Amino acid sequence: MYRQSTILASTAAPFVADQKHLQIQLQPDSTIDLADILHRIHAAHFDPGQNISLHFDHMHSEQPFPVMDIYLDITGRASVEENNRVGALSVFGIADSSGKHRVFDVSRLLWQLTRHTGLQVQHLAVLLVPFQPLTAADRLEIGRVRLVYHQS
C-alpha cells in the first residue's frame, strides 16, 4: 500500500540539547493547512491510515544521556503539563551508535491541544525535560525534529 508523508514543520538546523537548551522551535510549512489535516484525522476517528507523528532524527551523544519527558507547546508559554505531554524519550545505547531515531504519534494530542483554538497553531515548540538534572558534559545532538502527516 502506498503511504504519503508530508512534513508539516521541522527544525531549520540541527539542535543540541544541553543544560541551557531544552526548547526546540519548529518552523511550520506555511503552505499547509494544519487545521484541515486535524479535521480530516478527527473525522476518520483517528484511523491508523492517517496520523501526525513527531520525529527525532539522527540523535547522537558521546556518552549516555538521561531520559527526557517530551512536551508539545502550541501556546508559546513553555508550559509543562500532563495535557501536553508526548511521552518519554529514551536514548539508551546512544553512545554506541551513529544516530538513533525516535517517532511518537501526536495526532490525538494535537487535536486535544488545538480544539479550543479553532485548530489553529500560532507557535510550535518541543520542550525536553530531563528526568534528572543535566551536567555540563551532557550533550545530545539531534539532526532534525519533524512534525509529519502520514496518510495511506
Side-chain angles (χ1 to χ4, degrees):
M1 176 179 273
Y2 178 73
R3 187 167 167 99
Q4 180 180 351
S5 298
T6 305
I7 297 175
L8 304 175
S10 68
T11 50
F15 180 82
V16 177
D18 58 24
Q19 282 181 316
K20 296 179 183 174
H21 303 96
L22 293 170
Q23 181 170 334
I24 304 168
Q25 297 297 320
L26 297 179
Q27 302 303 314
D29 183 334
S30 60
T31 65
I32 296 174
D33 185 356
L34 181 58
D36 179 57
I37 290 171
L38 287 167
H39 273 297
R40 283 188 269 155
I41 290 173
H42 185 258
H45 304 286
F46 299 99
D47 175 53
Q50 55 181 333
N51 71 319
I52 298 175
S53 56
L54 182 63
H55 295 244
F56 291 83
D57 298 332
H58 307 292
M59 294 184 294
H60 178 74
S61 180
E62 296 297 322
Q63 61 189 34
F65 199 84
V67 174
M68 295 177 290
D69 269 332
I70 305 166
Y71 296 87
L72 198 55
D73 178 27
I74 66 162
T75 64
R77 293 190 309 250
S79 63
V80 176
E81 300 171 13
E82 190 59 33
N83 70 332
N84 66 326
R85 184 177 179 270
V86 172
L89 178 63
S90 171
V91 288
F92 179 76
I94 196 162
D96 302 326
S97 75
S98 60
K100 296 269 187 184
H101 306 276
R102 296 289 185 269
V103 178
F104 298 87
D105 186 335
V106 294
S107 305
R108 289 180 189 273
L109 177 61
L110 259 177
W111 173 259
Q112 291 297 323
L113 292 175
T114 60
R115 64 190 172 109
H116 299 295
T117 66
L119 303 180
Q120 298 304 309
V121 176
Q122 303 301 325
H123 173 88
L124 193 54
V126 175
L127 308 172
L128 305 174
V129 179
F131 280 23
Q132 62 191 42
L134 297 180
T135 68
D138 289 329
R139 265 176 68 92
L140 175 66
E141 296 174 21
I142 304 172
R144 183 166 67 163
V145 178
R146 303 177 288 147
L147 193 64
V148 180
Y149 172 53
H150 304 282
Q151 60 183 347
S152 318

